[in-house]
Amino acid sequence: MRALRVLLVIVVILGALFVVGDRLAVNYAEDMAADKIRSSQGLEKTPEVSIKGFPFLTQVLGRSLDEVDAELGGVSASADGHTLRVDKLSAQFHDVTLGSDYTSIQSAASATGQAHISYADLTKAAGGDVKISYAGEKNGRSQVKISPNIPVLNSLEVTGSLTVSGNTVKLRADEIPAMCRAIPSCQSSVRSQTDHEWTLSQLPGNLKLDKVATKADGISLTASGTDVKLPS
């Protein structure tokens, strides 16, 4: 009985050491992966990376990880001389294949991503003292209120729709008010302030945008991809 108790104690100690070693290894790998993602994506700040699954060491030996999550923070998209700031960007990679160095993410069977843009940043990106705010949804389309700066008209407000095409976010005014259409060049002036496109070139793993939705605090973007390749 004493020998059995000693054996059990040894097994518990070895198990604890394995768990500690496994966690130290995964923390090191997360730091290495974060540096790789930052350099490959050209990010200003190092992202937060979390490797899921246990034990980690056996996954590494097989050069395959169940899931890797990354919080990339903010990125920017530029168009027409204006910058659109994305204040939150995250991605989840599933069935990840590691590179030959065991630290770089080579590919993922599938991946998803989420991004958030505030109305304040959307307004700033539109330029020209244009104000953009929440307008809910209509007929399945995400909408915003746009208040362009037109000197000949006071308190002009139009409804705009947000859509995605590839990795480009598009904003278009649904309809120009009749009072503006009756004034020469008014319609073109409004369109120049309400219609914009911003391409998000820093989505991790070349994910493609799926959907845009308007929320009370900003717009939400979702992205996905399969057989995702990541630069090492």
Side-chain angles (χ1 to χ4, degrees), residues 89-136:
L89 178 61
S90 61
Q92 302 79 42
F93 304 95
H94 303 275
D95 297 326
V96 174
T97 299
L98 296 177
S100 58
D101 60 357
Y102 293 91
T103 61
S104 59
I105 300 174
Q106 190 174 59
S107 63
S110 63
T112 55
Q114 302 82 35
H116 179 270
I117 302 171
S118 70
Y119 290 117
D121 286 325
L122 203 61
T123 293
K124 185 177 180 180
D129 296 324
V130 179
K131 182 179 180 181
I132 300 175
S133 57
Y134 178 58

Side-chain angles (χ1 to χ4, degrees), residues 157-160 172-178 181 187 190-191:
E157 185 176 88
V158 300
T159 301
R172 295 286 185 274
D174 294 335
E175 185 178 2
I176 304 300
R181 296 198 300 269
Q187 186 168 191
V190 170
R191 286 287 180 189

Side-chain angles (χ1 to χ4, degrees), residues 11 13 25 64 71 197 200 207:
V11 169
I13 292 174
S64 179
E71 294 288 342
E197 295 185 4
L200 304 181
L207 297 181

Side-chain angles (χ1 to χ4, degrees), residues 130-132 144-148 156-160 171 173 193-194:
V130 179
K131 182 179 180 181
I132 300 175
V144 293
K145 293 179 182 179
I146 311 173
S147 300
L156 178 65
E157 185 176 88
V158 300
T159 301
L171 173 61
Q193 297 183 46
T194 61

Side-chain angles (χ1 to χ4, degrees), residues 6 29 31 49 119 138 177-178 186 201 205 224 230:
V6 171
D31 291 341
V49 174
Y119 290 117
K138 183 179 181 181
C186 180
S201 59
S224 64
L230 289 97

